[in-house]
Amino acid sequence: MSADGQGTKHWFDDEAGPVVRPYAMTRGRTTSAVQHRLDLIAVVVAEPEAGDPEADVTLAPEHVDIVGLCRDAPQSVAELAAELDLPVGVVRVLIGDLVDAEYVRVSRPVPPAELPDESILRDVINGLRAL
Protein backbone atom coordinates (compact mmCIF):
# COMPACT_ATOMS: atom_id res chain seq x y z
CA MET A 1 0.00 0.00 0.00
CA SER A 2 1.10 3.53 -0.65
CA ALA A 3 0.27 6.64 1.32
CA ASP A 4 -0.51 10.05 -0.07
CA GLY A 5 0.60 13.32 1.50
CA GLN A 6 -2.32 13.26 3.94
CA GLY A 7 -1.54 9.84 5.39
CA THR A 8 -4.32 8.03 3.47
CA LYS A 9 -3.29 4.58 2.27
CA HIS A 10 -4.10 3.33 -1.23
CA TRP A 11 -4.16 -0.31 -2.35
CA PHE A 12 -2.99 0.63 -5.87
CA ASP A 13 -0.26 2.71 -7.48
CA ASP A 14 0.41 4.21 -10.92
CA GLU A 15 1.75 0.89 -12.25
CA ALA A 16 -1.31 -1.12 -11.21
CA GLY A 17 -3.12 -0.27 -14.43
CA PRO A 18 -6.77 0.65 -14.81
CA VAL A 19 -8.90 0.18 -11.73
CA VAL A 20 -11.99 -0.56 -13.85
CA ARG A 21 -11.55 -3.82 -15.71
CA PRO A 22 -12.61 -4.00 -19.36
CA TYR A 23 -15.46 -6.44 -18.76
CA ALA A 24 -17.01 -3.90 -16.37
CA MET A 25 -17.26 -1.38 -19.22
CA THR A 26 -19.43 -3.80 -21.17
CA ARG A 27 -21.29 -5.03 -18.07
CA GLY A 28 -19.86 -8.48 -18.70
CA ARG A 29 -21.22 -8.69 -22.25
CA THR A 30 -19.15 -10.12 -25.07
CA THR A 31 -21.59 -9.04 -27.80
CA SER A 32 -23.99 -6.15 -28.27
CA ALA A 33 -27.77 -6.53 -28.27
CA VAL A 34 -27.78 -7.03 -32.03
CA GLN A 35 -24.68 -8.88 -33.16
CA HIS A 36 -22.67 -6.82 -35.63
CA ARG A 37 -19.79 -8.38 -37.53
CA LEU A 38 -16.93 -6.01 -36.89
CA ASP A 39 -13.64 -6.79 -38.57
CA LEU A 40 -10.55 -4.98 -37.37
CA ILE A 41 -10.57 -2.94 -40.58
CA ALA A 42 -14.29 -2.11 -40.50
CA VAL A 43 -14.66 1.67 -40.60
CA VAL A 44 -16.80 3.42 -38.00
CA VAL A 45 -18.38 6.75 -38.99
CA ALA A 46 -20.39 9.07 -36.75
CA GLU A 47 -23.96 9.70 -37.86
CA PRO A 48 -24.18 13.41 -38.72
CA GLU A 49 -27.81 13.75 -37.57
CA ALA A 50 -27.23 11.93 -34.26
CA GLY A 51 -27.74 13.89 -31.07
CA ASP A 52 -25.18 14.66 -28.40
CA PRO A 53 -23.96 11.38 -26.87
CA GLU A 54 -23.00 13.17 -23.64
CA ALA A 55 -26.68 13.92 -23.03
CA ASP A 56 -27.56 10.21 -23.23
CA VAL A 57 -27.41 8.82 -19.70
CA THR A 58 -27.33 5.23 -20.97
CA LEU A 59 -23.89 5.73 -22.57
CA ALA A 60 -20.60 5.25 -20.78
CA PRO A 61 -17.71 7.71 -21.16
CA GLU A 62 -16.05 5.24 -23.55
CA HIS A 63 -19.10 5.40 -25.83
CA VAL A 64 -18.84 9.19 -25.90
CA ASP A 65 -15.09 8.95 -26.67
CA ILE A 66 -15.76 6.64 -29.63
CA VAL A 67 -18.36 9.01 -31.11
CA GLY A 68 -15.99 11.95 -30.61
CA LEU A 69 -13.12 10.20 -32.38
CA CYS A 70 -15.38 9.18 -35.26
CA ARG A 71 -16.74 12.71 -35.66
CA ASP A 72 -13.19 13.98 -36.22
CA ALA A 73 -12.53 11.36 -38.92
CA PRO A 74 -13.73 7.84 -39.79
CA GLN A 75 -11.86 5.28 -37.70
CA SER A 76 -11.27 1.56 -38.04
CA VAL A 77 -12.11 -0.75 -35.15
CA ALA A 78 -8.38 -1.38 -34.64
CA GLU A 79 -7.62 2.37 -34.57
CA LEU A 80 -10.33 2.97 -31.98
CA ALA A 81 -9.04 0.16 -29.77
CA ALA A 82 -5.51 1.55 -29.97
CA GLU A 83 -6.58 5.15 -29.37
CA LEU A 84 -8.72 4.23 -26.35
CA ASP A 85 -6.19 1.68 -25.07
CA LEU A 86 -8.93 -0.93 -24.74
CA PRO A 87 -9.14 -4.57 -25.89
CA VAL A 88 -10.69 -5.03 -29.34
CA GLY A 89 -13.45 -7.23 -27.90
CA VAL A 90 -14.57 -4.44 -25.58
CA VAL A 91 -14.48 -1.86 -28.39
CA ARG A 92 -16.59 -4.15 -30.60
CA VAL A 93 -19.29 -4.37 -27.93
CA LEU A 94 -19.24 -0.59 -27.39
CA ILE A 95 -19.46 0.07 -31.14
CA GLY A 96 -22.37 -2.38 -31.39
CA ASP A 97 -24.18 -0.40 -28.68
CA LEU A 98 -23.57 2.82 -30.61
CA VAL A 99 -24.83 1.28 -33.87
CA ASP A 100 -27.99 0.14 -32.08
CA ALA A 101 -28.47 3.66 -30.66
CA GLU A 102 -27.80 5.13 -34.15
CA TYR A 103 -24.83 7.28 -33.10
CA VAL A 104 -22.48 5.59 -35.58
CA ARG A 105 -22.61 3.36 -38.64
CA VAL A 106 -20.12 0.75 -39.77
CA SER A 107 -18.80 0.26 -43.29
CA ARG A 108 -17.58 -3.27 -43.66
CA PRO A 109 -14.76 -4.18 -46.02
CA VAL A 110 -15.61 -6.16 -49.14
CA PRO A 111 -14.90 -9.86 -48.53
CA PRO A 112 -12.15 -11.22 -50.84
CA ALA A 113 -14.59 -13.73 -52.34
CA GLU A 114 -16.74 -10.86 -53.64
CA LEU A 115 -13.86 -8.96 -55.27
CA PRO A 116 -13.61 -9.21 -59.05
CA ASP A 117 -11.28 -11.85 -60.39
CA GLU A 118 -7.91 -10.51 -61.58
CA SER A 119 -8.31 -12.17 -64.98
CA ILE A 120 -11.56 -10.26 -65.57
CA LEU A 121 -9.84 -6.98 -64.79
CA ARG A 122 -7.00 -7.83 -67.18
CA ASP A 123 -9.52 -8.65 -69.94
CA VAL A 124 -11.22 -5.28 -69.38
CA ILE A 125 -7.89 -3.44 -69.56
CA ASN A 126 -6.92 -5.31 -72.73
CA GLY A 127 -10.33 -4.56 -74.25
CA LEU A 128 -9.93 -0.86 -73.49
CA ARG A 129 -6.47 -0.82 -75.02
CA ALA A 130 -7.84 -2.45 -78.18
CA LEU A 131 -10.26 0.44 -78.68
Side-chain angles (χ1 to χ4, degrees):
M1 281 194 217
S2 65
D4 63 13
Q6 300 174 356
T8 306
K9 294 187 177 189
H10 298 285
W11 60 270
F12 62 91
D13 59 16
D14 291 338
E15 295 181 22
V19 177
V20 177
R21 297 296 174 212
Y23 63 84
M25 291 177 207
T26 63
R27 297 181 205 109
R29 297 173 298 138
T30 57
T31 60
S32 57
V34 177
Q35 181 60 34
H36 298 282
R37 185 170 180 270
L38 297 173
D39 296 332
L40 289 176
I41 58 174
V43 177
V44 183
V45 180
E47 290 287 0
E49 64 276 354
D52 181 16
E54 290 185 26
D56 190 338
V57 296
T58 63
L59 298 181
E62 294 79 16
H63 288 109
V64 175
D65 291 343
I66 290 171
V67 174
L69 288 169
C70 294
R71 280 197 174 140
D72 294 339
Q75 304 278 324
S76 72
V77 173
E79 289 171 324
L80 288 169
E83 184 70 31
L84 297 172
D85 196 26
L86 292 173
V88 172
V90 170
V91 172
R92 283 180 172 148
V93 172
L94 297 175
I95 291 170
D97 295 343
L98 291 169
V99 169
D100 292 340
E102 298 181 353
Y103 283 102
V104 300
R105 69 178 184 279
V106 177
S107 300
R108 291 169 184 82
V110 177
E114 293 180 16
L115 293 173
D117 186 22
E118 187 177 330
S119 64
I120 293 172
L121 295 175
R122 285 185 188 167
D123 290 342
V124 169
I125 291 170
N126 291 334
L128 291 172
R129 285 184 185 152
L131 292 175

